[in-house]
Amino acid sequence: MSYRRTADFLLHDWLDVASLQSRERFADHNRETFDAVLDMCEKLAAEKFAPFNRLADTEEPWFDGEKVHLPAASHAAAKAYAESGMLAAAQDYELGGMQLPCVVEMAANSFFSKAGIGIGGGGMLTSGNANLLMAHGTPMQQQVFAANEFGGRFSGTMCLSEPQAGSSLSDVVTRAVPDGLDFEAEPLGPRYRLRGNKMWISNGEHELTENIVHLVLAKIPGPDGKLVPGTRGISLFIVPKKLVGTDGQLTGERNDVALAGLNHKLGYRGIPNTLLNFGEGKFPVRGAPGAIGYLVGKPGEGLRCMFHMMNEARIAVGLGATMLGYAGYEASLAYAKDRPQGRPMGPGGKDATLPQIPIIRHADVKRMLLAQKSYCEGALALELYCARLVDEAHTGAPENAAQAALLLEMLTPIAKSWPSEWCLEANSLAIQVHGGYGYTRDFPVEQYWRDNRLNMIHEGTHGIQALDLLGRKVVMDGGKGLQLLASRINATIERAIALPGFAEQANTLAATLAQVGAATKAAWATGNPEEALANATPYLQAFGHLVLGWIWLDVALCAQARAATLDDALLQGKLAACRFFFRHELPRVGAWLQVVTSRDDTCRTMDEAWF
């Protein structure tokens, strides 16, 4: 079953994206325009990305002391992607956008992630950067920076982490001080001088675009010259690599942003990952050291603004992880169909005189392929469902929009973390299907695994997503988000239990939902956050499997309802993957939740000396 056929089924049969055209923002669209965008991206990914995926892995970015070098294929891919209009796909027509629904935009971008996730400069960061400025920037900042990012002239980054702080943003020490007495009169926003170091900055230095727009978290010192402790002192700044005028044109001045070095990565090698020094004086600007930056929003609200980009990035990371898993699934499926090995087992054992059979006929190989299918297609459905919630939150009726926004808040930690863990496992299984060949560079599956290993780390590690889920999301507003999600799951259960063949899954999902609900209450029974959150990661894993079980059951119900119009292979494939997930995967939930429910203290009380 082709990936495009699965994507079309999820978009049109399951999520009914055609219904969005009844809304004013999407009134110019229909099935034909949506399909045209997917056709364009599928073709562009096949021509400009897929043939160079290995090249981007083997010809890593390198720094000659002045600039970062990337293969010509990366330059060509970045140019082609910008010219396609996909950087501004969801934006207003006035900005050169297509006013596409988010769900269609994400489905279209999935082709690039599957074809070559490390090629072409990472448009996700640039569009996310620009989207943040459209939400929180001034009209001038939007015109000068965001519009040029959407147009492909500029690219964007997000600069949060620092070498000494990592994910602990409250410990950032990059400083921003007002630049002159007239700093507030700057047309591009209040002007500051920044000094500090930022680590793990993807696309922090390259020559793919005219300019790079860094969004930088920094602290403005108080009257005593000291930085405010914690996150409440963090502000957000636009720090361009090259200074620009109010017309968006380069002034010819280089800002004081310097590359300190490149990080050499396990995978995802096509995108340069950098350590940047801001304001060290290597490129003095206007006669003084210090990188010039323009305040976005109000002082002290930087983290709130940045989370607009981070939440979007987390869903995009989940989709990227999904598509790397999917690429490995497709490769191992093709290999299993072609690779002869072993013979069928008869009543008397194997008959060596019979010809060998393709390995896909062996039950254990089918197990590994079914696992991959259930992980990757389930994750894809989850990501597209979340994107559909974005559209509902932005364009739906007020009550529906509010519910969609709340549900999206609940699901974002799962949308980021679940594919990052289980589609990585799919990549591992793809290697296993290939046997020894999978561990060599003669086949692409080892690269897919290496590329995907990053996704459990960036945009918030697995543990951070777990703390966010159990420590904030399930308890916020008195548990309203959890209650809303439970109501959606129960609605699917009620539909399923009334249909022949789905009672087993309906009852299993109901029991799993009850388990998660009970574990949530037990974790917080003492009200002690240290006790409740000590086992947050197994809670995240259990919660994620609950969500994926719900997604799979809902998808299976849709497939069954459309049995008369679907080809049999697609229908039976969806039903089999659903059965596999319920019988092979959901039983894990009980083991994960056991330590959560008992507030097991093994990890919490482990003394460092005992290691």
Side-chain angles (χ1 to χ4, degrees):
M1 186 59 55
S2 72
Y3 169 68
R4 177 61 184 273
R5 183 68 188 93
T6 291
D8 284 343
F9 166 77
L10 293 174
L11 287 172
H12 299 294
D13 294 285
W14 185 51
L15 294 173
D16 188 23
V17 297
S19 65
L20 290 170
Q21 70 190 69
S22 65
R23 300 179 183 180
E24 182 180 357
R25 181 167 183 80
F26 310 125
D28 294 336
H29 289 295
N30 52 38
R31 172 74 185 257
E32 287 70 31
T33 63
F34 293 155
D35 284 350
V37 172
L38 266 64
D39 289 342
M40 174 190 70
C41 291
E42 186 174 20
K43 183 174 186 291
L44 183 59
E47 293 177 352
K48 295 292 186 180
F49 287 72
F52 309 105
N53 191 44
R54 176 64 79 183
L55 176 71
D57 182 60
T58 56
E59 294 190 16
E60 291 187 66
W62 61 280
F63 181 48
D64 66 3
E66 295 185 5
K67 65 180 182 178
V68 171
H69 295 265
L70 292 166
S74 284
H75 288 263
K79 183 173 184 291
Y81 186 79
E83 290 175 349
S84 75
M86 286 303 296
L87 285 168
Q91 297 303 312
D92 295 347
Y93 294 134
E94 292 76 14
L95 280 169
M98 306 181 204
Q99 291 189 190
L100 279 181
C102 178
V103 65
V104 176
E105 177 192 31
M106 288 194 72
N109 278 323
S110 70
F111 291 104
F112 301 104
S113 296
K114 187 162 75 74
I117 203 165
I119 301 172
M124 174 266 287
L125 279 172
T126 295
S127 60
N129 179 306
N131 287 341
L132 182 151
L133 294 178
M134 294 306 297
H136 300 289
T138 65
M140 179 65 73
Q141 290 171 343
Q142 294 169 3
Q143 176 184 330
V144 171
F145 297 108
N148 280 305
E149 289 182 272
F150 287 135
R153 282 187 62 216
F154 300 169
S155 57
T157 73
M158 50 193 291
C159 301
L160 290 77
S161 298
E162 297 180 5
Q164 84 292 339
S167 299
S168 180
L169 297 180
S170 63
D171 295 314
V172 302
V173 294
T174 297
R175 302 168 67 92
V177 297
D179 183 36
L181 297 177
D182 65 341
F183 78 102
E184 290 184 308
E186 170 65 55
L188 295 176
R191 189 180 64 248
Y192 287 74
R193 293 273 183 165
L194 278 72
R195 291 174 175 81
N197 313 103
K198 294 293 180 177
M199 186 67 159
W200 312 117
I201 311 306
S202 293
N203 289 316
E205 180 61 40
H206 56 75
E207 301 289 325
L208 297 174
T209 54
E210 289 182 40
N211 204 0
I212 302 173
V213 180
H214 302 292
L215 286 178
V216 184
L217 292 182
K219 291 184 176 181
I220 302 171
D224 59 359
K226 296 180 179 179
L227 300 181
V228 178
T231 60
R232 60 190 177 90
I234 295 176
S235 302
L236 180 64
F237 300 87
I238 299 168
V239 184
K241 173 184 174 181
K242 300 173 183 178
L243 297 183
V244 300
T246 54
D247 59 357
Q249 298 304 308
L250 304 184
T251 65
E253 301 169 284
R254 170 71 188 262
N255 207 354
D256 196 6
V257 182
L259 177 69
L262 295 175
N263 296 307
H264 302 286
K265 299 176 290 180
L266 172 73
Y268 228 113
R269 294 174 177 172
I271 293 180
N273 190 271
T274 64
L275 169 62
L276 298 178
N277 293 339
F278 291 85
E280 68 174 359
K282 184 173 182 178
F283 301 105
V285 57
R286 298 175 185 175
I292 290 179
Y294 310 104
L295 181 68
V296 178
K298 296 179 181 178
E301 294 188 357
L303 207 55
R304 182 181 69 85
C305 295
M306 184 62 90
F307 265 103
H308 183 281
M309 183 176 180
M310 288 177 68
N311 284 332
E312 180 179 327
R314 284 172 176 172
I315 297 173
V317 165
L319 182 63
T322 297
M323 298 320 300
L324 282 166
Y326 213 110
Y329 166 57
E330 288 185 335
S332 62
L333 177 60
Y335 182 85
K337 288 179 177 179
D338 291 340
R339 168 68 172 174
Q341 187 171 317
R343 291 167 176 82
M345 183 73 71
K350 294 180 181 179
D351 186 346
T353 65
L354 294 175
Q356 291 185 319
I357 58 173
I359 62 173
I360 196 171
R361 296 185 190 174
H362 298 303
D364 195 55
V365 174
K366 290 180 181 179
R367 174 190 63 82
M368 292 187 283
L369 292 171
L370 258 175
Q372 292 179 69
K373 182 179 178 70
S374 72
Y375 299 156
C376 300
E377 291 187 8
L380 177 65
L382 170 64
E383 300 306 322
L384 294 181
Y385 181 83
C386 287
R388 183 66 175 78
L389 290 176
V390 172
D391 291 319
E392 195 64 34
H394 289 169
T395 65
E399 182 179 350
N400 293 340
Q403 287 196 348
L406 180 59
L407 194 56
L408 186 63
E409 276 280 294
M410 282 295 304
L411 290 176
T412 295
I414 304 303
K416 189 276 176 184
S417 67
W418 199 92
S420 299
E421 179 172 5
W422 295 99
C423 292
L424 178 67
E425 175 61 18
N427 290 131
S428 180
L429 290 170
I431 293 173
Q432 192 72 15
V433 169
H434 281 73
Y437 288 111
Y439 200 64
T440 71
R441 295 190 181 183
D442 296 328
F443 290 84
V445 288
E446 60 84 26
Q447 181 186 342
Y448 296 143
W449 187 93
R450 287 188 290 105
D451 287 346
N452 214 351
R453 188 58 186 83
L454 174 62
N455 288 313
M456 285 182 72
I457 300 171
H458 75 169
E459 306 309 337
T461 64
H462 229 47
I464 288 174
Q465 303 303 322
L467 294 173
D468 181 42
L469 178 66
L470 183 55
R472 191 168 75 89
K473 296 296 173 63
V474 300
V475 296
M476 64 183 181
D477 296 328
K480 286 183 180 179
L482 183 57
Q483 292 165 18
L484 175 60
L485 176 60
S487 72
R488 297 291 177 93
I489 295 174
N490 276 320
T492 299
I493 291 171
E494 289 174 5
R495 286 165 46 218
I497 206 162
L499 295 175
F502 288 98
E504 175 191 341
Q505 287 97 326
N507 289 323
T508 299
L509 187 60
T512 305
L513 176 60
Q515 281 183 296
V516 170
T520 306
K521 292 179 181 178
W524 284 104
T526 65
N528 184 338
E530 189 176 10
E531 291 183 6
L533 300 178
N535 299 296
T537 294
Y539 180 85
L540 175 79
Q541 291 171 307
F543 200 101
H545 264 47
L546 166 67
V547 168
L548 265 292
W550 164 53
I551 291 287
W552 260 121
L553 183 55
D554 210 75
V555 167
L557 290 175
C558 175
Q560 186 64 60
R562 286 161 175 73
T565 58
L566 296 180
D567 58 87
D568 192 60
L570 186 144
L571 170 64
Q572 297 303 329
K574 297 290 180 284
L575 296 179
C578 180
R579 286 197 305 273
F580 178 90
F581 194 85
F582 271 77
R583 294 175 180 177
H584 289 250
E585 291 296 327
L586 278 189
R588 298 176 187 257
V589 169
W592 284 323
L593 290 181
Q594 187 175 10
V595 294
V596 178
T597 302
S598 66
R599 296 185 300 281
D600 179 71
D601 67 354
T602 303
C603 298
R604 181 169 58 86
T605 60
M606 177 69 180
D607 192 285
E608 62 186 72
W610 301 344
F611 287 103

